[in-house]
């Protein structure tokens, strides 16, 4: 038998997401988690680029560095974007 308590919670979450009634704290937390994840991924890409450069794989190092720079640019644009009403 289905638990109606969880069904009601899912219904409230769906309604809040569809009508944009998410609190500012939740939005800030989500953006913070996204930023930390992106920073970790960018750090990994930079580590990979340096490792490839040390092992004389210059072409792969340059491509990896450009991808990391692209992600840095995207992250900065997201963080400095004006807030939507």
């Amino acid at each position: 038998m289905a638990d109606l308590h969880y069904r009601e919670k899912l219904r409230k979450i769906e309604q809040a997401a569809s009508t944009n009634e998410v609190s500012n704290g939740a939005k800030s937390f989500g953006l913070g988690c996204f930023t930390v994840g992106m920073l970790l991924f960018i750090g990994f890409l930079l580590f990979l680029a340096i490792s490839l450069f040390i092992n004389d794989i210059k072409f792969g190092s340059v491509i990896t560095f450009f991808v990391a720079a692209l992600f840095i640019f995207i992250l900065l644009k997201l963080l400095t974007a004006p807030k939507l009403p």
Side-chain angles (χ1 to χ4, degrees), residues 2 4 17 24 27 30 37 46 50 52 58 60-64 74-75:
L4 297 178
N24 286 335
K27 290 178 188 176
L46 291 175
I50 293 169
L52 289 171
K58 307 278 192 259
S61 174
V62 169
I63 289 176
T64 309
I74 290 170
L75 185 63

Side-chain angles (χ1 to χ4, degrees), residues 10-32:
L10 286 175
R11 189 173 292 134
K12 285 182 182 178
I13 291 172
E14 180 184 1
Q15 181 184 10
S18 64
T19 59
N20 201 15
E21 295 177 1
V22 181
S23 67
N24 286 335
K27 290 178 188 176
S28 301
F29 183 73
L31 184 63

